[in-house]
Amino acid sequence: MTKSATRETADIASVVGRKNRIINGNFDIWQRALSQTATGYGSDDRWLNMIVGSTQVVSRQAFTLGQTDVPNNPKYYARTVVTSVAGTGNYVVKSQKIEGVETFSGTTATLSFWAKADANKNIAIEFAQSFGTGGTSPAPSANVLGIGVTTVALTTSWVKHTVPVALPSISGKTLGTNGNDYLWLFLWMDAGSDWNARANSLGQQSGTFEFSQVQIEAGSVATTFEPRSKGEELALCQRYYWQKSTFIATVGAYRTATVLENCQVYFPVSMRAVPTCALPSLSGNIYVNGSSTAITGGAAGGTGLNAVSINLNSASKPVNAAAWASASSPITANAEL
Amino acid sequence: MTIETVKIQGEGWLVNGSMSVPNSGGNSDYHDVQEWIAEGNTPDPEYTDEEIAANAQAEINQENLAYLADTDWYVIRKADTGTAVPTDILDARAAARAAIA
């Protein structure tokens, strides 16, 4: 028996690894929270859960140990409970922005995922290409929307769905200069009529939608889901978002009257772009010349791809004195697309 | 990102009191701040007049406290040996004490 070229390609892809361009497709990483209701990034890493008008409850769910409905023993899956609210512009979408608009451009790629719903229900798949921002002559090309718009019928059982998509060439397009271009995957669950062209006239519906093992790979064949180690997956996610519940900086520092301290906190991996950093509740002490003074606040100062410099405030402000600080706070660094 | 307050912070902005948004086009929050400004909003200054005054006074205080500490040995020497503190030092120490608020 002779294998087809397509089959051989699929066989090779299934063993060489790094084929899946979706990050956190196995829903193992939930740095921000285990559930969310607001629109935006808020629970499952890298997944942008968007709503307008309708409501959502996104949450992490655990598979029963030893289950065989979904292969490869995934530990978690993502659930979205949609409560649809009538409105032509309303929607609930689960999406992911894949860094680099060149991803699979001019070729066929295949999306595969396991999914089920609380009843037989449709969802719609869409891809878009965004050419980023920055630059004026010429300006970045406009987004290309409505790529590969397809309806997928879910049932109440876990089923693997496969959606090949021909992604347009980006030849002749203009990239923005800010390095924030991307390929965008949309999983439409609820869509008012304004979105008919992009959601294949899906319409509005409430329900519970569950997703597992989302993968997009080169070629027209969906191969076995590529598992990555949790450490590797976490590092991939941390390129875009990182948080610690508490950091403690114990550092040498140099002090002036206006920039009080410069505590370096290093990120675990280099981030995609200079991140937004938040330190919502700084506390601790600054020690100067053998005496301590309480930290009264502070904020991220200079931020780079690898570290953030934190400026600390205190009531006492010695000038040009060597100091060190023991400060703690939750800290987040956000460089999502 | 829902923006409630924006304050200049170095080359970037402090948004909603805790998020430091860099002046970098690759950052998605940067674009939210730019849209907010384009809507006609104006970021608050990095320091209020009161904070600028407080920082300036703190710097004055620290410089003068440091001078007093550096010249304390004249006073101790006088107490120990009776050697007089030079007049210019006495005048400068008086000025330093007067400047501290």
Side-chain angles (χ1 to χ4, degrees):
Chain A
M1 180 188 293
T2 303
K3 288 184 177 179
S4 70
T6 302
R7 185 63 252 169
E8 285 186 351
T9 300
D11 286 349
I12 293 167
S14 68
V15 294
V16 295
R18 303 298 178 276
K19 62 187 178 184
N20 187 8
R21 300 303 297 271
I22 293 287
I23 297 176
N24 201 25
N26 211 30
F27 299 103
D28 286 320
I29 312 298
W30 299 67
Q31 288 188 87
R32 295 171 178 86
L34 298 183
S35 67
Q36 75 174 93
T37 56
T39 191
Y41 293 101
S43 53
D44 37 359
D45 273 60
R46 297 295 295 123
W47 289 99
L48 178 58
N49 298 299
M50 302 184 295
I51 55 170
V52 167
S54 299
T55 68
Q56 67 178 356
V57 180
V58 178
S59 63
R60 188 183 79 175
Q61 301 294 320
F63 280 107
T64 303
L65 199 62
Q67 62 79 33
T68 56
D69 293 339
V70 179
N72 307 315
N73 290 305
K75 196 166 186 179
Y76 302 112
Y77 59 96
R79 170 183 289 168
T80 302
V81 178
V82 175
T83 302
S84 183
V85 174
T88 58
N90 292 356
Y91 62 78
V92 177
V93 176
K94 190 173 193 69
S95 73
Q96 185 166 135
K97 295 177 177 178
I98 300 166
E99 187 176 349
V101 71
E102 73 279 5
T103 304
F104 302 134
S105 63
T107 69
T108 295
T110 298
L111 171 72
S112 61
F113 59 95
W114 290 78
K116 69 185 179 80
D118 57 338
N120 291 346
K121 288 192 169 117
N122 291 336
I123 62 170
I125 309 298
E126 181 203 7
F127 288 88
Q129 291 174 323
S130 172
F131 294 85
T133 61
T136 53
S137 54
S141 298
N143 291 351
V144 178
L145 305 172
I147 300 168
V149 173
T150 306
T151 299
V152 173
L154 307 187
T155 69
T156 56
S157 301
W158 285 109
V159 173
K160 183 176 182 178
H161 301 274
T162 300
V163 181
V165 56
L167 291 157
S169 167
I170 58 172
S171 176
K173 298 286 189 180
T174 301
L175 275 184
T177 57
N178 287 328
N180 55 352
D181 52 282
Y182 51 86
L183 171 67
W184 200 349
L185 163 67
F186 295 80
L187 304 173
W188 293 86
M189 291 167 274
D190 173 47
S193 58
D194 289 355
W195 310 103
N196 279 349
R198 296 179 56 187
N200 220 19
S201 300
L202 176 69
Q204 292 206 264
Q205 60 183 345
S206 297
T208 299
F209 302 85
E210 296 172 334
F211 301 96
S212 174
Q213 298 194 342
V214 184
Q215 176 162 281
I216 182 165
E217 61 193 301
S220 56
V221 175
T223 62
T224 305
F225 180 79
E226 173 190 42
R228 289 188 283 247
S229 72
K230 284 184 184 168
E232 187 178 3
E233 201 75 42
L234 177 61
L236 292 174
C237 293
Q238 287 174 330
R239 173 174 167 77
Y240 303 88
Y241 179 86
W242 170 75
Q243 73 173 37
K244 281 189 76 176
S245 57
T246 301
F247 82 92
I248 297 175
T250 305
V251 294
Y254 191 75
R255 208 166 209 220
T256 70
T258 51
V259 180
L260 302 175
E261 297 284 346
N262 291 302
C263 298
Q264 296 289 327
V265 175
Y266 290 90
F267 306 136
V269 300
S270 287
M271 303 206 72
R272 180 195 65 81
V274 179
T276 298
C277 287
L279 297 140
S281 57
L282 268 170
S283 63
N285 288 293
I286 298 170
Y287 300 88
V288 186
N289 297 331
S291 61
S292 70
T293 180
I295 293 167
T296 56
T303 308
L305 299 178
N306 298 299
V308 56
S309 175
I310 297 168
N311 300 328
L312 300 172
N313 297 326
S314 63
S316 173
K317 300 173 180 176
V319 177
N320 294 341
W324 64 279
S326 176
S328 67
S329 170
I331 181 170
T332 63
N334 181 8
E336 292 284 5
L337 284 160
Chain B
M1 179 172 59
T2 302
I3 295 178
E4 294 171 359
T5 62
V6 179
K7 185 177 177 180
I8 293 170
Q9 183 188 51
E11 295 180 352
W13 302 271
L14 183 66
V15 176
N16 298 342
S18 67
M19 285 189 293
S20 297
V21 177
N23 185 5
S24 171
N27 181 291
S28 57
D29 295 325
Y30 162 88
H31 296 284
D32 291 343
V33 172
Q34 293 303 305
E35 285 179 17
W36 183 84
I37 292 171
E39 290 168 1
N41 299 296
T42 303
D44 293 331
E46 185 163 16
Y47 299 105
T48 64
D49 291 344
E50 291 77 15
E51 287 170 329
I52 291 170
N55 280 334
Q57 186 60 54
E59 192 161 349
I60 290 168
N61 290 351
Q62 292 304 323
E63 287 173 352
N64 286 288
L65 286 168
Y67 177 76
L68 290 171
D70 287 346
T71 56
D72 276 349
W73 68 273
Y74 286 106
V75 180
I76 295 168
R77 184 180 67 175
K78 184 181 184 218
D80 284 350
T81 67
T83 303
V85 178
T87 304
D88 60 330
I89 299 296
L90 285 173
D91 291 345
R93 284 174 62 85
R97 281 193 296 272
I100 294 171

